[in-house]
């Protein structure tokens, strides 16, 4: 979804967080989880008849500690209507530890390592939770799914078991409760000046070959300009992270924002290293061609977002990476002074692997629970509350849109949903004086994610809903099998992966910009081998085989 909290941006400090978290002291006798499954003494405040569709309300006032990420786009406010209305509905309030977005990963690690982490720890991106397991600091939440009927219902109804299996660790359990989506979805693509395409007689591109042809026609008409100048070059990555990500996916590998070190080769029935795949070479070759033909601005891989936007606004470029919010809230405003200028997202271009969506997008960031919570007399009530707020239809609607007939009217189910006249969010109600997130606390990424396709689409203007409907016609790619590592394996491979990834990023940029010839690709792969690529793959594939043997 980006957005200021894209998965890969938050993962950027996961490695450092892991180093601190790996040496955590265990909870043991000072409040660690019980081995017994007997919950008879942990039901204070819980509902006896909680189930799917049940509105949760604790039988007595409860307060749970929670980590709250304060997003600079809507900084935390203690007087948000979200807090008071949540308490009114559920009899639950929070004791928040508020952490700025820029410090969240590091602060989370420090709190856990110091043994003073809040009970509920949201905004965690898989596989970040793996770094905290060996110490016993976080709860194996898969042991307690019977307390979460809404989550179980959606997993079964939406056929998400295979996705959840990818979160399992070497013990067969998972430790992160992720956001659940009904269907795969993909918001990021490229935006193009549609008035220029119409002027030049260029049809909307459907494939990456079409994108190449489009850029060449624009270059012929505007030889003194780069047809495309891209953004989102913030680390991690060699730059142009969305462009690399969607192009790599279209070729059948991971790159840019979508980077993962290993890729499942279904034909060989083993994991291979993403940065050494022929498909990765094809991705790099395509971008090298665009740069060599002066179709893609080489500054796309280093420039700041505002510089890329300025070039697009001034007509110095005509194509740029985009999501729904960037299109409406940035690009259309940027080009408003250009007579006749129009811009729209193009359908996610199709590459050699065909029109496939990433099934992995059906899970989103989620929350960890401190293992000490298991001993609380309110444990069952807390799990019911989490299940209601994060996984029930009612809780998800509340977290996203607020209070019916106050912040919104209608229903997402029948298409009558509409924000109140004085409330805006992401340009859905331009000119409204109040922001749903900044002024009320709803649409907060700590709570509002996942849900049905109808709920997801309710946050988009009609144009984006039509875009999503078009992509929903595509099939989801098969999921890779689980390959959970032991704590020792995770510690060792993290060191290898860091050095390998740095080299991949450096050489990727050199290949794209023509600073290194692609005739040296084999030498580059040998360099990866010298940096423990084969040893990494050996550990990963043995982990896959072990999991298959022990857990099927």
């Amino acid at each position: 979804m980006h957005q200021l909290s894209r998965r890969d941006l938050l993962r950027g400090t996961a490695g450092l967080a892991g180093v601190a978290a790996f040496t955590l002291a265990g909870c043991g006798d000072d409040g660690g989880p019980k081995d017994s499954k007997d919950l008879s003494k942990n039901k204070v405040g819980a509902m006896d008849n909680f189930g799917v569709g049940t509105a949760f309300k604790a039988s007595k006032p409860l307060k749970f500690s929670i980590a709250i990420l304060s997003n600079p786009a809507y900084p935390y406010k203690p007087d948000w209507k979200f807090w008071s209305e949540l308490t009114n509905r559920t009899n639950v309030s929070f004791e928040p530890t508020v952490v700025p977005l820029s410090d969240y990963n590091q602060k989370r690690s420090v709190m856990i390592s110091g043994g003073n982490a809040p009970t509920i720890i949201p905004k965690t991106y898989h596989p970040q939770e793996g770094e905290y397991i060996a110490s016993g600091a976080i709860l194996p939440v898969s042991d307690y799914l019977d307390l979460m009927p809404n989550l179980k219902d959606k997993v079964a109804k939406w056929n998400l078991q295979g996705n959840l299996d990818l979160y399992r660790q070497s013990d067969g359990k998972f430790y992160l409760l992720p956001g659940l989506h009904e269907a795969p979805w993909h918001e990021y693509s490229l935006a193009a000046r549609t008035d220029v395409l119409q002027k030049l007689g260029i049809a909307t591109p459907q494939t990456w070959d079409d994108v190449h042809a489009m850029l060449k026609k624009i270059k012929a008409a505007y030889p003194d300009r780069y047809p495309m100048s891209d953004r989102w070059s913030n680390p991690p990555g060699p730059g142009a992270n969305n462009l690399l990500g969607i192009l790599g996916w279209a070729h059948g590998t991971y790159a840019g924002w979508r980077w993962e070190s290993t890729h499942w080769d279904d034909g060989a029935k083993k994991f291979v290293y993403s940065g050494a795949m022929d498909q990765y070479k094809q991705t790099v070759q395509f971008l090298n061609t665009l740069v060599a033909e002066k179709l893609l601005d080489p500054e796309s891989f280093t420039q700041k977002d505002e510089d890329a936007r300025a070039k697009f606004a001034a007509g110095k470029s005509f194509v740029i990476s985009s999501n729904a919010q960037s299109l409406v809230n940035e690009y259309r405003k940027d080009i408003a002074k250009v007579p006749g200028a129009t811009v729209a997202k193009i359908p996610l271009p199709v590459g050699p692997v065909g029109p496939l969506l990433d099934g992995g997008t059906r899970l989103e960031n989620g929350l960890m629970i401190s293992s000490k919570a298991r001993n609380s007399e309110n444990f069952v009530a807390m799990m019911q509350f989490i299940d209601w707020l994060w996984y029930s239809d009612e809780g998800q609607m509340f977290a996203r849109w607020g209070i019916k007939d106050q912040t919104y009217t209608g229903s997402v189910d029948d298409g009558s949903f509409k924000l109140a006249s004085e409330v805006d969010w992401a340009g859905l109600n331009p000119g409204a004086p109040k922001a749903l997130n900044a002024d009320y606390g709803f649409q907060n990424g700590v709570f509002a994610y996942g849900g049905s396709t109808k709920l997801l689409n309710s946050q988009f203007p009609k144009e984006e809903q039509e875009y999503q409907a078009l992509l929903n016609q595509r099939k989801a790619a098969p999921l890779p099998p689980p390959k959970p590592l032991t704590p020792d394996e995770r510690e060792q491979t993290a060191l290898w992966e860091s050095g390998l990834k740095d080299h991949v990023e450096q050489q990727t940029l050199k290949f794209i910009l023509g600073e290194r010839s692609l005739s040296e690709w084999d030498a580059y792969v040998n360099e990866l081998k010298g940096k423990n690529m084969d040893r990494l793959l050996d550990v990963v594939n043995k982990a896959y085989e072990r999991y298959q043997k022990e857990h099927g």
Side-chain angles (χ1 to χ4, degrees):
M1 310 181 166
H2 251 44
Q3 298 134 328
L4 294 172
S5 55
R6 289 297 299 169
R7 176 184 68 174
D8 303 278
L9 298 181
L10 284 173
R11 287 169 111 182
T13 56
L16 292 175
V19 172
F22 206 84
T23 59
L24 297 179
C27 294
D29 295 332
D30 62 350
K34 301 174 181 177
D35 293 329
S36 172
K37 301 300 181 185
D38 180 11
L39 296 168
S40 59
K41 296 182 180 180
N42 308 96
K43 293 184 176 181
V44 176
M47 295 179 64
D48 293 331
N49 59 343
F50 182 68
V52 176
T54 303
F56 174 80
K57 189 155 192 176
S59 61
K60 59 174 291 186
L62 300 176
K63 179 175 284 189
F64 301 127
S65 60
I66 186 172
I68 297 291
L69 182 151
S70 183
N71 194 308
Y74 46 95
Y76 166 83
K77 295 179 182 177
D79 60 349
W80 273 335
K81 185 67 175 177
F82 176 89
W83 310 121
S84 58
E85 183 66 18
L86 180 68
T87 300
N88 180 58
R89 294 189 184 205
T90 66
N91 219 6
V92 171
S93 59
F94 287 131
E95 179 184 343
T97 297
V98 181
V99 185
L101 170 63
S102 59
D103 297 330
Y104 192 76
N105 285 351
Q106 182 178 3
K107 177 66 173 179
R108 179 183 58 200
S109 176
V110 170
M111 288 190 298
I112 295 176
S113 64
N116 59 354
T119 302
I120 303 172
I121 312 169
K123 296 305 287 185
T124 300
Y125 288 74
H126 179 72
Q128 290 175 344
E129 77 280 10
E131 309 296 342
Y132 306 106
I133 294 171
S135 66
I138 60 173
L139 195 71
V141 289
S142 56
D143 285 348
Y144 302 98
L145 296 187
D146 285 344
L147 301 177
M148 308 186 74
N150 289 289
L151 183 151
K152 289 182 66 177
D153 178 65
K154 284 181 167 56
V155 169
K157 186 167 55 179
W158 296 344
N159 193 27
L160 285 165
Q161 191 59 61
N163 296 73
L164 274 182
D165 285 344
L166 295 179
Y167 280 35
R168 295 188 184 275
Q169 302 296 323
S170 57
D171 59 4
K173 301 178 181 184
F174 57 86
Y175 293 73
L176 180 70
L177 292 170
L180 308 178
H181 285 277
E182 181 179 5
W185 70 291
H186 193 99
E187 188 185 357
Y188 281 69
S189 184
L190 305 178
R193 279 277 300 275
T194 45
D195 59 309
V196 173
L197 301 192
Q198 292 170 2
K199 174 184 175 182
L200 300 178
I202 302 172
T204 301
Q206 303 298 315
T207 68
W208 282 103
D209 287 341
D210 293 343
V211 170
H212 188 191
M214 170 187 72
L215 296 176
K216 288 198 291 186
K217 289 183 179 180
I218 295 175
K219 182 68 175 180
Y222 301 93
D224 60 333
R225 309 175 207 183
Y226 287 108
M228 180 174 183
S229 187
D230 210 20
R231 64 182 299 184
W232 289 321
S233 293
N234 43 290
N241 288 302
N242 171 64
L243 177 59
L244 266 167
I246 59 178
L247 182 63
W249 175 259
H251 283 82
T253 190
Y254 300 123
W257 265 342
R258 305 175 73 88
W259 171 259
E260 293 183 26
S261 60
T262 58
H263 192 285
W264 176 247
D265 185 332
D266 195 55
K269 299 299 179 186
K270 66 178 182 180
F271 285 92
V272 297
Y273 190 71
S274 299
M277 296 172 66
D278 288 342
Q279 292 90 333
Y280 196 91
K281 180 182 180 182
Q282 293 165 11
T283 300
V284 171
Q285 176 69 71
F286 185 91
L287 293 176
N288 170 264
T289 299
L290 297 189
V291 170
E293 295 178 354
K294 300 187 183 302
L295 306 178
L296 175 63
D297 183 356
E299 293 183 356
S300 297
F301 301 91
T302 54
Q303 67 187 347
K304 296 179 180 179
D305 283 5
E306 52 264 36
D307 295 330
R309 287 178 58 190
K311 292 175 183 178
F312 188 78
K316 295 181 179 179
S317 67
F318 305 94
V319 181
I320 189 171
S321 282
S322 181
N323 63 7
Q325 293 185 42
S326 296
L327 179 69
V328 175
N329 297 329
E330 295 179 344
Y331 305 148
R332 286 187 176 150
K333 294 179 180 179
D334 291 345
I335 64 172
K337 296 181 180 180
V338 181
T342 55
V343 59
K345 277 202 318 181
I346 65 174
L348 184 65
V350 175
V353 300
L356 294 176
L357 292 180
D358 182 0
T361 60
R362 299 181 68 195
L363 299 187
E364 202 170 344
N365 73 86
L367 56 98
M368 300 183 294
I369 298 173
S370 169
S371 57
K372 294 183 180 181
R374 172 60 182 82
N375 286 351
S376 168
E377 65 178 11
N378 307 129
F379 176 68
V380 173
M382 185 193 71
M383 297 300 287
Q384 291 177 345
F385 167 75
I386 289 172
D387 185 58
W388 177 83
L389 180 56
W390 274 275
Y391 297 102
S392 76
D393 292 344
E394 180 186 18
Q396 290 177 338
M397 187 68 186
F398 168 74
R400 194 176 292 277
W401 294 123
I403 308 166
K404 189 171 184 179
D405 297 328
Q406 290 190 35
T407 57
Y408 75 92
T409 60
S411 168
V412 299
D413 293 326
D414 61 13
S416 62
F417 168 82
K418 187 177 181 181
L419 280 172
S421 59
E422 70 276 12
V423 179
D424 181 38
W425 185 79
L428 287 181
N429 206 358
K434 296 288 188 178
L436 186 64
N437 50 9
D439 294 311
Y440 295 93
F442 301 105
Q443 283 288 0
N444 187 316
V446 172
F447 306 102
Y449 51 75
S452 68
T453 298
K454 287 183 177 180
L455 181 62
L456 174 69
N457 285 342
S458 67
Q459 69 182 332
F460 298 135
K462 184 177 180 180
E463 176 184 13
E464 180 65 18
Q465 291 180 22
E466 293 173 349
Y467 177 89
Q468 292 295 329
L470 178 65
L471 290 193
N472 282 342
Q473 297 175 18
R474 302 182 183 183
K475 293 182 179 180
L479 295 170
K483 56 179 191 319
L485 305 178
T486 66
D488 288 344
E489 290 170 341
R490 191 180 300 114
E491 184 178 31
Q492 179 60 73
T493 57
L495 296 174
W496 293 336
E497 285 187 350
S498 178
L500 283 164
K501 187 171 183 285
D502 286 346
H503 194 67
V504 169
E505 290 174 353
Q506 294 166 7
Q507 301 311 308
T508 293
L509 187 56
K510 288 183 177 181
F511 283 132
I512 290 172
L513 297 180
E515 296 172 0
R516 184 175 187 181
S517 171
L518 278 157
S519 64
E520 297 183 29
W521 183 263
D522 290 344
Y524 154 74
V525 172
N526 283 329
E527 291 161 10
L528 296 178
K529 292 180 179 180
K531 295 181 179 293
N532 298 302
M533 179 182 74
D534 289 340
R535 295 176 72 185
L536 170 68
L537 292 174
D538 183 60
V539 172
V540 168
N541 281 303
K542 284 181 178 177
Y544 153 70
E545 294 168 0
R546 179 178 64 231
Y547 188 87
Q548 291 297 309
K549 181 179 179 180
E550 296 177 357
H551 303 288

